[in-house]
């Protein structure tokens, strides 16, 4: 039963991720072709800010709630209503911060006035993302992956339809309107996702008055898992937020123009990275299914099953990474032309392709550490990786090598994070076996 449930969960997530990623590629193709180079550059500049905001909003809730639910020691309703109030309060604070900080971020940090309104648009989607994250974590913990899969697919279909219908009209008013509209579309897609999750709740899921009262012990347990998990993501996203700012400053210092930096950074984020992370939908599916499986096995002290699932996950991730990245390495021009109607970024792809094979191992390693309650180790690895990446991109950019300082920093980050996670997990498994 245990075996079939793990593989069933992974298979459902895999099929859903494949459909979602396919729809996502179509959406990205339409977006890049409709929004134009100026819109792509603007979108790429604000994406680090967007990623930071989303990380702060999600708080690592899907993984944390999934881990607590999977243990089976607390009721699902108790967990949901213990977490929701504090999360929505944090959302309100975050929305106010974004509204007041948007001008400073756009005009001072990014040196791009057009970024102000897209940054302000981000604030409006935060409550929707939080609620869907809480519900997603609940179903993950129950090892019910179908609601997540169905919600993601329907969400992407709705997003595709709305983008195809409305984005061209918004772009007619200018790229700023197009980028703002693209961000605000997430409200509709996240709302659809929430509705789908609610439809999949058990029929006996009746909310009583006493259920609405938060249990502080449960809140503390979830937050104890959230804080290290989200801490790593926040650190990563803070440095990702600083990335274009540092690049802009250092590259301008050595003589590059604003337009060159914005264009190359847009190519890197809009074309290069999406191609290199093609296998991530499979890796993410496996990693997500791994968390409740490892949590249950750890509660039962079934260390053999933990090691077995980890080996299987790493083998699949590695083999898939090798196959896809060899293909990307050999045919980058063809893929870029077909998907994005461009040939920009080929050399970046050829340099990074091998290292993104290693990157695919990060998901299973960090998910296993989190499920074993070792989120602090994953946090340390992430923190060290992004610090070294940021220092590297700043130093190498001074050598007047364009965006290759960022490429070198990316390679260092991947190797450090995967290496440290592997060492930490090996040590953890030894300790668990000994105890």
């Amino acid at each position: 039963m245990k075996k079939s449930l793990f593989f069933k969960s992974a298979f459902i997530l895999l099929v859903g991720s494949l459909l979602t990623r396919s729809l996502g590629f179509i959406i990205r193709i339409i977006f890049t072709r409709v929004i134009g180079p100026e819109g792509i550059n603007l979108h790429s500049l604000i994406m680090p800010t967007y990623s930071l905001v989303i990380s702060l909003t999600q708080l690592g809730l899907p993984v944390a709630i999934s881990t607590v639910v999977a243990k089976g020691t607390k009721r699902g309703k108790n967990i949901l209503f213990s977490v929701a109030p504090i999360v929505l309060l944090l959302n309100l604070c975050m929305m106010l911060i974004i509204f007041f900080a948007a001008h400073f971020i756009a005009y001072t940090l990014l040196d791009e006035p057009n970024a102000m309104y897209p940054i302000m648009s981000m604030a409006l989607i935060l409550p929707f993302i939080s609620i869907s994250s809480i519900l997603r974590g609940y179903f993950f913990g129950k090892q019910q992956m179908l609601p997540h899969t169905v919600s993601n697919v329907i969400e992407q279909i709705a997003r595709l339809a709305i983008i195809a219908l409305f984005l061209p009209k918004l772009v007619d008013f200018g790229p700023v309107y197009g980028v703002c509209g693209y961000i605000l579309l997430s409200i509709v897609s996240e709302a659809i996702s929430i509705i789908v999750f609610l439809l999949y709740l058990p029929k006996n899921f009746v909310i009583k008055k006493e259920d609405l009262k938060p249990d502080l012990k449960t809140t503390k347990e979830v937050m104890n898992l959230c804080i290290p998990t989200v801490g790593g993501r926040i650190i990563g996203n803070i440095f990702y937020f600083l990335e274009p700012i540092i690049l802009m400053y250092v590259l301008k210092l050595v003589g590059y123009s604003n337009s060159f930096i914005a264009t190359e950074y847009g190519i890197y984020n809009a074309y290069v990275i999406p191609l290199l992370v093609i296998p991530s939908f499979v890796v993410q599916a496996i990693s997500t299914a791994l968390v409740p499986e490892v949590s249950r096995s750890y509660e039962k002290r079934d260390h053999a099953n933990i090691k077995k699932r980890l080996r299987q996950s790493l083998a699949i991730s590695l083999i898939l990474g090798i196959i896809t990245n060899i293909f990307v390495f050999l045919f980058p021009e063809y893929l870029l032309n077909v998907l994005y109607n461009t040939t920009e970024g080929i050399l970046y792809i050829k340099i990074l392709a091998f290292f993104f094979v290693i990157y695919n191992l990060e998901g299973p390693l960090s998910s296993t550490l989190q499920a074993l309650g070792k989120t602090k180790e994953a946090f340390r690895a992430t923190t060290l990786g992004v610090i070294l990446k940021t220092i590297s991109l700043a130093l190498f950019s001074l050598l007047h090598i364009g965006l290759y300082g960022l490429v070198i920093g990316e390679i260092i980050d991947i190797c450090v994070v995967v290496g440290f996670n592997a060492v930490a997990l090996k040590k953890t498994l030894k300790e668990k076996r000994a105890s």
Side-chain angles (χ1 to χ4, degrees):
M1 178 69 180
K2 181 168 59 178
K3 180 179 178 180
S4 62
L5 189 58
F6 171 71
F7 282 108
K8 181 182 176 183
S9 300
F11 178 73
I12 290 171
L13 285 169
L14 179 59
V15 171
S17 297
L18 179 60
L19 290 170
T20 305
R21 181 56 63 92
S22 301
L23 290 166
F25 260 119
I26 296 170
I27 289 169
R28 181 166 283 276
I29 291 165
I30 293 172
F31 174 71
T32 53
R33 294 190 179 191
V34 170
I35 203 76
E38 191 179 342
I40 289 170
N41 295 342
L42 177 60
H43 185 257
S44 295
L45 276 178
I46 66 164
M47 275 310 293
T49 307
Y50 187 66
S51 296
L52 176 59
V53 168
I54 298 304
S55 288
L56 288 167
T57 302
Q58 287 188 323
L59 282 174
L61 287 170
V63 173
I65 293 174
S66 170
T67 303
V68 176
V69 171
K71 290 178 180 176
T73 55
K74 297 183 184 292
R75 293 187 309 136
K77 278 192 290 186
N78 179 260
I79 295 167
L80 293 179
F81 289 106
S82 296
V83 173
I86 191 168
V87 170
L88 292 174
L89 182 63
L90 286 170
N91 276 190
L92 180 60
C93 296
M94 184 60 61
M95 289 171 76
L96 292 172
I97 290 168
I98 292 167
F99 276 125
F100 286 112
H103 185 277
F104 174 75
I105 293 169
Y107 280 80
T108 306
L109 298 181
L110 295 177
D111 193 23
E112 177 51 81
N114 288 333
M116 188 177 81
Y117 290 111
I119 290 170
M120 292 177 72
S121 302
M122 298 171 191
L124 301 176
I125 69 172
L126 301 189
F128 298 92
I129 292 172
S130 289
I131 294 168
S132 68
S133 296
I134 291 169
L135 292 169
R136 187 174 288 110
Y138 168 79
F139 284 108
F140 282 168
K142 295 287 185 182
Q143 287 188 290
Q144 295 176 19
M145 306 304 177
L146 191 60
H148 166 73
T149 299
V150 172
S151 72
N152 266 6
V153 173
I154 293 175
E155 182 184 335
Q156 289 290 73
I157 291 170
R159 183 186 284 267
L160 176 60
I162 295 167
I163 286 172
L165 289 171
F166 297 107
L167 189 62
K169 295 176 182 177
L170 288 169
V171 172
D172 287 342
F173 294 100
V176 175
Y177 287 89
V179 174
C180 286
Y182 184 70
I183 292 169
L184 290 172
L185 288 174
S186 297
I187 293 175
V188 178
S189 58
E190 289 292 341
I192 290 169
S193 180
I194 291 165
I195 292 167
V196 173
F197 279 130
L198 293 174
L199 291 173
Y200 271 95
L201 286 172
K203 290 181 180 178
N204 60 352
F205 194 95
V206 179
I207 300 171
K208 298 177 183 176
K209 209 176 198 179
E210 54 268 26
D211 293 327
L212 299 174
K213 186 179 178 183
D215 177 16
L216 294 180
K217 265 182 97 174
T218 304
T219 304
K220 187 178 178 182
E221 185 178 353
V222 173
M223 288 302 162
N224 282 341
L225 287 167
C226 273
I227 290 167
T229 302
V230 78
R233 289 183 183 174
I234 289 171
I235 292 293
N237 281 291
I238 286 172
F239 280 93
Y240 182 39
F241 166 74
L242 293 172
E243 186 178 281
I245 299 168
I246 294 169
L247 272 175
M248 189 73 73
Y249 176 79
V250 176
L251 291 177
K252 279 170 71 177
L253 193 67
V254 296
Y256 289 99
S257 66
N258 270 18
S259 61
F260 171 84
I261 301 164
T263 301
E264 289 299 303
Y265 193 67
I267 290 166
Y268 185 83
N269 282 295
Y271 308 140
V272 175
I273 297 299
L275 266 184
L276 292 168
V277 297
I278 285 174
S280 65
F281 73 92
V282 179
V283 176
Q284 187 179 8
I286 294 167
S287 302
T288 303
L290 203 55
V291 173
E293 177 75 9
V294 171
S295 295
R296 290 179 195 277
S297 298
Y298 178 49
E299 281 293 305
K300 296 174 183 177
R301 297 189 173 277
D302 189 356
H303 301 303
N305 189 56
I306 294 172
K307 290 176 73 175
K308 181 181 175 182
R309 296 298 180 222
L310 177 61
R311 281 197 300 267
Q312 290 170 337
S313 302
L314 289 173
I316 294 168
S317 301
L318 184 63
I319 292 166
L320 187 69
I322 290 169
I323 293 169
T324 54
N325 281 287
I326 285 175
F327 186 77
V328 170
F329 178 84
L330 292 175
F331 307 105
E333 188 173 356
Y334 172 77
L335 291 169
L336 286 167
N337 197 35
V338 169
L339 294 174
Y340 305 119
N341 195 29
T342 184
T343 55
E344 300 286 353
I346 290 174
L347 197 51
Y348 296 145
I349 289 171
K350 285 186 173 290
I351 293 170
L352 286 167
F354 168 75
F355 295 97
F356 270 80
V357 174
I358 302 169
Y359 169 79
N360 290 321
L361 303 178
E362 186 181 330
L365 290 171
S366 61
S367 291
T368 305
L369 280 171
Q370 288 163 8
L372 292 171
K374 295 290 182 178
T375 48
K376 288 181 181 177
E377 280 72 8
F379 168 75
R380 289 192 193 106
T382 302
T383 303
L384 181 61
V386 293
I387 289 173
L388 291 174
K389 175 185 176 180
T390 306
I391 293 170
S392 300
L393 74 88
L395 291 176
F396 284 105
S397 294
L398 288 171
L399 300 177
H400 209 277
I401 56 173
L403 218 70
Y404 289 100
L406 175 58
V407 172
I408 294 167
E410 192 83 63
I411 291 167
I412 291 169
D413 182 29
I414 290 168
C415 294
V416 168
V417 173
V418 172
F420 271 75
N421 277 342
V423 171
L425 188 53
K426 188 176 180 181
K427 183 181 175 184
T428 300
L429 291 173
K430 274 186 180 178
E431 289 172 356
K432 301 295 182 189
R433 192 167 61 247
S435 62

